[in-house]
Amino acid sequence: MDRFKDLSGEYLAALTERAKKSKVYKPYQLLGLTLSQLLEDEKHKSLYIKMAKKYNNDYLLGLAKRVAEKKDVSNKGAYFMKVFFNK
């Protein structure tokens, strides 16, 4: 739970820094990167960025939080995709 709060805080902080720096990620890119970190699936970060651009960000972040909190799941990225596409 603390890790989710930390990543959420970083996400919001980066959005506020966006106005100060010209070379900061767009919000959907930052959310996609946050999802890949939260789900421990760095190799598919481009897929998460595309999903963040297309789908409801609150739903994606909430689902990723629930998946990340599961201790018995070894491949959280695959489990996230399974749950997301079987909604």
Side-chain angles (χ1 to χ4, degrees):
M1 185 70 163
D2 292 333
R3 183 171 180 214
F4 175 72
K5 286 181 182 177
D6 292 342
L7 289 173
S8 297
E10 290 176 20
Y11 173 69
L12 293 175
L15 285 178
T16 57
E17 284 290 316
R18 189 168 177 238
K20 297 177 186 175
K21 296 181 181 179
S22 63
K23 211 172 181 187
V24 175
Y25 293 114
K26 294 181 181 178
Y28 65 87
Q29 291 171 318
L30 189 57
L31 179 62
L33 294 174
T34 301
L35 289 173
S36 70
Q37 290 175 351
L38 190 61
L39 297 169
E40 300 167 3
D41 190 15
E42 295 287 325
K43 63 182 177 181
H44 293 112
K45 60 186 165 190
S46 62
L47 175 63
Y48 296 118
I49 291 170
K50 289 175 186 176
M51 290 177 77
K53 192 174 185 179
K54 186 175 181 181
Y55 297 105
N56 183 325
N57 293 345
D58 293 331
Y59 177 73
L60 288 174
L61 205 51
L63 180 60
K65 176 185 174 249
R66 290 192 300 274
V67 170
E69 290 174 345
K70 291 193 173 283
K71 301 291 184 200
D72 58 338
V73 176
S74 61
N75 188 346
K76 294 180 186 198
Y79 185 77
F80 174 82
M81 292 298 173
K82 180 179 178 183
V83 172
F84 181 79
F85 288 109
N86 287 329
K87 51 182 173 174

